[in-house]
Amino acid sequence: MKKSTLALASAAIFGATPALGQASVDEKLQILQQEIDELKAQSRKSAGPAQQPSPYSLDYGSMLDRSSGLANGGTNIIGYGEMSYSKFRESGNATADLARFVFGFNHRFDERLTFHSEIEIEHAVVSKDDQGEAEVEQAWVNYKMSDAVNFKGGLFLIPLGILNETHEPPTYYGVQRNQVETRIIPTTWRELGVGVHGIVSEGLRYDMGVTTSFDSGKLDDPTTGMRSAHQEGQLANASNLAVYGALNYRRPGLLVGGGVFTGDTGQNGASNPALQGVAARFTIWDVHAEYRVAGLDLQALYTAGTLGDADKVTAALFAADPATAFAAPQSMKGWYAQAAYHVYKQGKLDVAPFIRYERIDIKQAEDPANGLLQDPNNNERIKTLGVNFWVHPQVVLKADIQRYATDKTQDAFRLGAGFMF
Amino acid sequence: MIRAARRALALSTLALAACGIAYAQVYQEPDAFIAEVLGSKPPPKVLWLTKDIQGQAAAILGHPPAQLRQRYWSEGGKSVWILEETGKEELITAGFVVVDGHIDHVRVLVYRESRGQEVRQTSFLKQFKDAKLAQSNRLDRDIDGIVGATLSVGAMERMARLALYFDRLSHDKARE
C-alpha cells in the first residue's frame, strides 16, 4: 500500500515536472501540494470506508502530531496541584504543605464514549503514620448522545455549588478553598451513581441523577456538618440512595445556578446498629451567582441543609462510643460574598486583589443529659483579604490574611501556589 | 420520595433523548463552513510555517504548532482559517473568517468534550467580531470568559490570534 502510494507520488511529481520547470518556488509548492492532496484522496478512495477521514483527523492544518487531543482510542493526562505556607497568628506556628497533587487520565473509546478520572494525593506522603491520603476523586464514563443528552456512570462530582466541579487552584480566589464550600458543601464531593446531563438551550445546563448517599453512622467530625459522613465510593453503604439535580445558566461573564441533593443516611444501621430503621434524611441545596464586568469579579453563594432524625443520630453516636460522641448536625446554612478586581492584566500576567466574607451556621441536635452540646465553632464568620497573581492563565501565586470571629486559632497569613494542565 | 424522583428522572431522560437524539458533536463540516462563508469552496492556499513563523505561532499558542503548513481559503479580501486547539482535554475545531485584518466571523465546528460547549454560544462568539491584533499579537480587547469553561475559552482566544496572525502573513506573502 505504502509502496504503491510512493510510486504514484513519484509518477505524479515527475509527470508534473514540465510545469514545475517554468514555475516560481511558490507555484511549484502549490502544484506539489495539489498533487499530494489528489494522491491522498485517491488513496482514501481505494482503501474503502475504514480509511475515510473521521471528524477526529481533520487534515486542514496537516497536523503531524495530534497526540495532544484525543483521537478515537486516545488517552491524555491532566493534572493540578497546590502548595501553601501558613503562619498562624495566635500560636505563632507555621506550616508548609503540598496540600494536594492530582493527576488524571482521560480516554476516548469512540466518538461518543469517553472515560474521565482524577487521582488525588493529599499532603504529599501517604502511609499509616502520616496524614496524607491517596484517593480516587473521579472515575466515570460518559456517553454523549448529543449536547443535550449525556449519560454518565461511575464516581463523579455532585454539581452543587461553584467549587465542587471546578476546583482547580487557578480558578478560585484565596490560598485555601472557601470554608462554606468545605464545611457545608463538602467539596470535593463525589458519589457513585448514574446521571444525565447536557445543555438544553443556549447556556442552560442541567444535571441530574441517582447516587450513593451519606452514612450518618460514619460521622466523626463535629465542625464540618455532614462532610465526615460522605462515603466517596469507599465500600459505600448503599441501602439508602440519593437523588440530585442542578440547573446552571452561563453566558460570557455570568453564571447563575443552583442544585439540590437529598437522600436517607441511616443506611439500615450498617455502620451503626442504633440507626437501623432510622431514615435520617439529609437534604442540601444551594443557589449561586458569578458576574464579571470591567475587571470586576463578583461571586456569591447561599447553601442550606437539614438532617432528619438528628436527635436519633446523636443518640446513635453516643451509643457507639460515649467518649468520642458529639451532637449530630441538625441544620446547616452558610453563605459568602466575594469581590475581586483585576488591577493589572498584561499578556499572561494578571493581578487581582480580592475580599471575601463568609458566614457558617451549623446547628447541632444537643443531648445535654449526656453532655453533647453545640460546638461554638459552628457559628463562624470569616473575613479573607488577599491577592491572586496569575503568572500564566494556568499557574497562580496567592497570598491572603484570614480572620475568624469565633475560632481565633485559625487566624492566619498564607502564601500559596497552584497550577493546572 | 426517592421512587418519585427516580420516575421523574427516567421520564425526563426519555423526553430529552427523544428531542436530542441527533448526534451533534460535529456542528458543521469545515467544507460546508468554507462554502457558506465564501459562496463556494475555492482551491486551498498554503502558508508554510518557516522557523520564524513557528516561533511566533508558538508564542501565541503557548506551545509549538503541530503543523508545518497551514491551509486556508480566500476570496475577495476574505480569508478562512480552520484551526484546532486543545481545550481541557480535547481538540476544538473552529472556523475563522478574517476581513481586512479583523475577525468577521467565528464558529465552533467540532466540539468533542462533554463540558464547556458554552463556547459555541453566539453571546460568546460575538465578542470576537471585529477583533484585530494589537501589540505582541494579542487581541485588541478582553474576551469575557465562561465560568467552568476557562480552558476552552483560552483555546478559542489563542486560535483567534493565530488566525489574525496567519491572515497578516498571507497578505505579506501576496505583496511579495
Side-chain angles (χ1 to χ4, degrees):
Chain A
M1 166 74 194
K2 277 182 183 169
K3 278 180 186 169
S4 64
T5 307
L6 190 63
L8 272 170
S10 307
I13 289 166
F14 287 119
T17 304
L20 287 174
Q22 295 155 17
S24 70
V25 174
D26 243 25
E27 286 166 338
K28 284 175 185 170
L29 285 172
Q30 284 201 14
I31 291 164
L32 288 170
Q33 183 62 58
Q34 281 168 16
E35 297 288 357
I36 291 167
D37 290 345
E38 281 166 23
L39 284 167
K40 273 187 181 176
Q42 280 175 21
S43 161
R44 280 176 189 146
K45 208 176 280 179
S46 61
Q51 293 297 312
Q52 293 301 311
S54 80
Y56 303 95
S57 59
L58 293 169
D59 196 28
Y60 290 92
S62 187
M63 300 291 208
L64 298 179
D65 176 10
R66 291 184 179 276
S67 60
S68 60
L70 291 183
N72 287 354
T75 303
N76 73 9
I77 299 173
I78 54 110
Y80 67 88
E82 61 186 333
M83 56 213 80
S84 64
Y85 166 86
S86 301
K87 173 84 173 170
F88 293 94
R89 190 186 188 202
E90 199 170 271
S91 65
N93 292 340
T95 59
D97 187 28
L98 177 60
R100 51 178 58 89
F101 174 67
V102 179
F103 59 94
F105 303 98
N106 298 302
H107 182 78
R108 177 175 286 285
F109 299 101
D110 60 32
E111 70 270 25
R112 294 173 190 263
L113 194 62
T114 51
F115 169 77
H116 308 267
S117 70
E118 282 185 5
I119 298 156
E120 177 170 20
I121 296 169
E122 289 183 352
H123 309 301
V125 179
V126 180
S127 77
K128 74 179 176 65
D129 299 321
D130 296 293
Q131 290 185 44
E133 287 184 353
E135 50 202 46
V136 177
E137 201 166 274
Q138 300 184 55
W140 53 283
V141 171
N142 191 79
Y143 183 79
K144 182 175 182 175
M145 288 187 71
S146 70
D147 278 351
V149 184
N150 288 258
F151 296 102
K152 64 180 173 183
L155 184 72
F156 55 79
L157 301 174
I158 299 299
L160 216 71
I162 295 174
L163 274 188
N164 202 50
E165 287 193 295
T166 307
H167 48 252
E168 293 85 353
T171 65
Y172 62 84
Y173 288 96
V175 176
Q176 295 188 333
R177 295 168 178 177
N178 72 70
Q179 288 293 298
V180 172
E181 290 187 88
T182 302
R183 290 167 66 176
I184 310 287
I185 298 173
T187 303
T188 309
W189 173 17
R190 62 273 190 187
E191 300 286 352
L192 278 167
V194 293
V196 55
H197 65 104
I199 294 183
V200 283
S201 68
E202 178 141 326
L204 184 64
R205 179 178 289 279
Y206 73 92
D207 198 338
M208 56 189 177
V210 180
T211 67
T212 50
S213 186
F214 288 59
D215 183 351
S216 287
K218 292 179 177 173
L219 277 168
D220 63 6
D221 185 346
T223 63
T224 54
M226 287 294 283
R227 184 184 180 89
S228 60
H230 73 323
Q231 302 194 78
E232 303 174 321
Q234 180 200 182
L235 296 172
N237 291 317
S239 297
N240 299 133
L241 298 178
V243 292
Y244 72 88
L247 276 178
N248 281 285
Y249 175 71
R250 290 179 173 86
R251 53 178 296 127
L254 177 69
L255 163 69
V256 182
V260 63
F261 175 97
T262 185
D264 288 351
T265 67
Q267 302 296 353
N268 200 29
S271 52
N272 186 326
L275 289 174
Q276 202 158 25
V278 176
R281 171 167 290 271
F282 176 54
T283 301
I284 186 170
W285 58 272
D286 95 297
V287 288
H288 51 257
E290 190 166 346
Y291 185 53
R292 299 173 183 170
V293 61
L296 195 63
D297 283 4
L298 302 171
Q299 189 172 311
L301 177 145
Y302 180 89
T303 181
T306 54
L307 178 66
D309 301 315
D311 52 341
K312 290 178 184 168
V313 177
T314 298
L317 293 175
F318 186 78
D321 185 356
T324 59
F326 55 87
Q330 186 169 30
S331 67
M332 59 209 77
K333 60 187 175 190
W335 62 268
Y336 69 82
Q338 175 182 282
Y341 185 69
H342 295 267
V343 293
Y344 179 82
K345 201 169 181 181
Q346 189 67 47
K348 292 175 181 171
L349 303 180
D350 187 353
V351 182
F354 73 95
I355 186 164
R356 183 171 62 230
Y357 181 81
E358 295 178 71
R359 179 84 172 86
I360 290 168
D361 186 9
I362 303 171
K363 292 272 190 307
Q364 294 165 267
E366 295 182 321
D367 178 3
N370 288 313
L372 306 182
L373 302 173
Q374 174 77 26
D375 186 327
N377 290 336
N378 276 334
N379 190 345
E380 189 64 90
R381 294 174 174 81
I382 306 161
K383 293 175 199 161
T384 307
L385 180 67
V387 62
N388 275 22
F389 173 28
W390 286 270
V391 296
H392 181 279
Q394 291 163 248
V395 181
V396 66
L397 305 175
K398 302 177 179 182
D400 65 38
I401 297 168
Q402 286 197 306
R403 293 288 178 266
Y404 283 63
T406 308
D407 186 4
K408 298 283 187 192
T409 64
Q410 296 301 309
D411 286 357
F413 165 70
R414 290 191 170 88
L415 296 171
F419 59 87
M420 65 176 181
F421 54 86
Chain B
M1 181 171 172
I2 288 189
R3 196 175 295 163
R6 280 180 194 153
R7 201 176 300 137
L9 175 69
L11 284 171
S12 312
T13 304
L14 285 172
L16 287 165
C19 67
I21 199 86
Y23 175 55
Q25 192 156 298
V26 179
Y27 306 111
Q28 188 176 23
E29 291 291 348
D31 285 353
F33 175 74
I34 297 160
E36 179 192 320
V37 295
L38 294 181
S40 63
K41 191 185 170 201
K45 296 177 180 173
V46 176
L47 181 71
W48 289 91
L49 306 192
T50 61
K51 206 172 175 183
D52 284 351
I53 296 172
Q54 284 187 36
Q56 290 291 325
I60 290 169
L61 295 171
H63 60 81
Q67 67 268 45
L68 290 176
R69 59 186 164 85
Q70 177 66 49
R71 254 179 268 194
Y72 66 101
W73 294 259
S74 68
E75 194 82 60
K78 198 184 260 189
S79 68
V80 181
W81 304 84
I82 307 293
L83 300 176
E84 291 191 322
E85 178 67 352
T86 303
K88 183 175 183 186
E89 300 160 9
E90 305 208 46
L91 290 168
I92 301 168
T93 306
F96 294 83
V97 181
V98 183
V99 178
D100 294 333
H102 295 71
I103 288 181
D104 182 61
H105 190 67
V106 184
R107 193 174 297 164
V108 174
L109 304 175
V110 188
Y111 193 87
R112 299 164 176 92
E113 295 183 35
S114 58
R115 293 190 171 274
Q117 294 96 330
E118 286 86 350
V119 294
R120 286 186 62 221
Q121 292 176 27
T122 312
S123 55
F124 172 72
L125 295 175
K126 74 179 184 189
Q127 297 181 92
F128 291 97
K129 175 80 178 164
D130 295 329
K132 60 180 182 179
L133 280 184
Q135 217 176 3
S136 308
N137 288 328
R138 304 214 151 262
L139 293 183
D140 64 343
R141 64 193 63 192
D142 283 337
I143 301 294
D144 284 334
I146 293 171
V147 178
T150 311
L151 296 177
S152 293
V153 168
M156 290 300 295
E157 195 172 344
R158 292 194 297 277
M159 283 191 281
R161 292 165 59 199
L162 195 63
L164 287 166
Y165 173 64
F166 281 168
D167 174 73
R168 191 166 69 196
L169 294 176
S170 71
H171 289 292
D172 292 347
K173 191 179 113 181
R175 275 193 291 271
E176 278 169 8

